[in-house]
Every structure is written in structure tokens, then in C-alpha cells.
Amino acid sequence: MFYSEEVQKDIEFNKKTRQGKLVASKCFGFWTDICGFGSLLEKYNWDLQKLNNNKVMELQRSFYNIMGAIHGTEERTLILNDGIAKILKYSDYVRVNSDIILFYIRDLLISHYVFWKMASEFGVSVRSVFAAGEYIPYAINNQTGEQILQYNPNNISERGKGILNTTYVYNPTEFQMNTAFAKAFTIEEMGRKVGILPDFFYIESSAVELFNSIPDISFIKENDKLIISYNEIPRMDLHISNELNINCKGLNVTVYEISKFHIFEALDGDDIITEFGVLD
């Protein structure tokens, strides 16, 4: 029987899973969500054409453009309606080029601020969580018609070719059993009942720990600030407006609410202070 390369790879994953030979990798996870999008769905009776006619899809596209923007080769992004997930792999490339992480967190903060201002025009907001954890791939990243069609590779009908070229299951490698993404999503989803409020950017404590394991990087809490340094020179500080201790669903972490960030000239060539929750 003919087994395509895709099927053979998936068979190999099955073997590794049964044998306990899967390999987990560290990563950063990010989840951001439009707060109040449900109220817009309700206002327009869950009618997508009405959403489109009333510029809500323009808001959605802006969310995609701003929060979904690519911030580097080690990042992977998944769009889920009015939420966006990102994974930054803790790779050798990031460890060798350690300053990348500074620009990565800077870009996430700036994106959050830019979209937050835009969302306010629609009477909604945005909430973002940055966390750390692991992912463990257990399957191929997509299943195509190769999984369901038996065929002779030397004699395939046009209908068969169409089936083979169709992706039926999406399972992005970096999101397979990913605790960093799950942690960020869970914290954001807890919302107001644990003090996770719209407008703000949240950083979970294990992300700070993983930051500090990167060569030449220092991410230190001093009083009401998280100070990020590179080669012992401060490059950015993040103002902590609230510190939350969350113990829920087996998750026991500290979460820092960020309401303002200061990018120093040493990082960006400019001295920039930006604040959430206070419109100009």
C-alpha cells in the first residue's frame, strides 16, 4: 500500500507518542482579545453583513493588521475570530541574538497601545497577556486529503488531486499542547473576577523568569516597575499598576498589570513614554 510522506510522518509521531519520546520546548505565549466584541455581535444580531456595513469588520481587519503583525522569524501567529495568539520559540537563534526579545516585547506593547486607541472609537477595548511555558508537538501540523484517499500516485483523477491538495485539519506545530498559550488565554479569560481588566497589558511571572534566562538580558522588578536591561544598560521600564496573585485551575502565578511603558533612547534612539487607559 502506498503511504505518502505526510502519512509516514504522522505514523512516526504516533510511535513517538506511544514510546514517550516526544520532546517539549520552552516558549513565550501571547494572547490578546477585543473586549466588548460580543456586545457588537449582539447589537447587530450576529449578522456579519450588518457588522460589515457598520465598519465592525474594519475594526477586525485593523486588529489583524496591528496585533497580528509578524514580529520575527521565531514567532508564529494564530487568528481566532476576535482573539489573536502568538508563540515566540525559545530557540538557539533567540538566545544568540538576545536583543531580539527587547524589540519583541516593545512591538507587542506598542501594538497593544495603537489598537487600544483605535478600539475606543467603537466603544470596545483590548486586553493582552504575555506568558511563558512549553509546547510539545505530537502530530503533523496539517492533515490533507493524503489521510483519507487511497490512490495510485501514477494515476490520479482531477477530483483526487483536488482532495489531496485540500487541508482538512489545521494543527499548527507550535500550538500543539502549548502551556504558554493556554496560560495566557486562561488568565485573560478570567477577566474582571480576578482583576484582569480591559485596556491593560499583563505579564505573567514565568515569562519574567524565562526572559532572565536569556544571555545578556535582565528583567528585574524594582518597586512598581519591571526594568528590562541589555548588557547591564536599562532599555525599557514597565509601570506596574497592579500585582495579582492568581491561584486557579492548578495555576499559581503572579501577574503584573502594565499601564505605562517607557522606552529609553538606548533602545530605540528616542525617549518614549506611553500610557494605557488615559486618552489624549
Side-chain angles (χ1 to χ4, degrees), residues 56-108:
V56 178
M57 291 312 300
E58 181 181 335
L59 175 72
Q60 178 70 41
R61 177 66 201 204
S62 296
F63 187 56
Y64 172 81
N65 288 344
I66 297 167
M67 301 306 299
I70 299 169
H71 298 308
T73 59
E74 302 304 288
E75 179 193 69
R76 301 294 182 270
T77 300
L78 182 65
I79 313 296
L80 295 167
N81 284 342
D82 60 315
I84 292 178
K86 288 179 175 289
I87 296 303
L88 180 69
K89 295 187 286 184
Y90 185 77
S91 65
D92 289 337
Y93 181 78
V94 169
R95 288 189 290 272
V96 170
N97 300 278
S98 53
D99 59 329
I100 286 174
I101 195 70
L102 299 173
F103 294 102
Y104 187 75
I105 194 71
R106 177 205 65 179
D107 289 350
L108 290 181

Side-chain angles (χ1 to χ4, degrees), residues 25-191:
S25 300
K26 295 177 183 178
C27 66
F28 294 99
F30 176 74
W31 172 253
T32 185
D33 183 75
I34 301 176
C35 301
F37 196 84
S39 65
L40 296 175
L41 282 172
E42 184 178 345
K43 179 179 180 180
Y44 297 114
N45 307 115
W46 288 68
D47 187 315
L48 294 184
Q49 193 56 56
K50 288 181 180 178
L51 289 179
N52 190 38
N53 294 342
N54 288 277
K55 292 188 174 294
V56 178
M57 291 312 300
E58 181 181 335
L59 175 72
Q60 178 70 41
R61 177 66 201 204
S62 296
F63 187 56
Y64 172 81
N65 288 344
I66 297 167
M67 301 306 299
I70 299 169
H71 298 308
T73 59
E74 302 304 288
E75 179 193 69
R76 301 294 182 270
T77 300
L78 182 65
I79 313 296
L80 295 167
N81 284 342
D82 60 315
I84 292 178
K86 288 179 175 289
I87 296 303
L88 180 69
K89 295 187 286 184
Y90 185 77
S91 65
D92 289 337
Y93 181 78
V94 169
R95 288 189 290 272
V96 170
N97 300 278
S98 53
D99 59 329
I100 286 174
I101 195 70
L102 299 173
F103 294 102
Y104 187 75
I105 194 71
R106 177 205 65 179
D107 289 350
L108 290 181
L109 285 161
I110 290 174
S111 294
H112 176 99
Y113 172 74
V114 170
F115 184 74
W116 167 73
K117 289 195 71 173
M118 185 173 294
S120 66
E121 298 174 10
F122 289 80
V124 296
S125 189
V126 62
R127 183 166 51 201
S128 301
V129 180
F130 189 70
E134 298 175 303
Y135 68 97
I136 186 165
Y138 58 85
I140 54 175
N141 58 6
N142 292 311
Q143 288 189 36
T144 70
E146 298 278 5
Q147 302 282 338
I148 58 177
L149 186 68
Q150 294 186 17
Y151 64 96
N152 179 344
N154 299 314
N155 184 20
I156 310 174
S157 68
E158 289 305 311
R159 169 64 176 162
K161 290 177 182 178
I163 292 172
L164 293 174
N165 290 329
T166 299
T167 299
Y168 291 93
V169 177
Y170 297 94
N171 192 15
T173 300
E174 290 78 12
F175 289 91
Q176 292 181 23
M177 195 48 65
N178 189 307
T179 57
F181 161 58
K183 201 183 294 183
F185 179 86
T186 299
I187 291 168
E188 193 279 329
E189 189 180 37
M190 289 178 184

Side-chain angles (χ1 to χ4, degrees), residues 187 190 194 196 244-248 251-255:
I187 291 168
M190 289 178 184
V194 297
I196 303 296
L244 305 164
N245 294 310
I246 295 178
N247 190 347
C248 182
L251 192 63
N252 188 5
V253 296
T254 300
V255 178

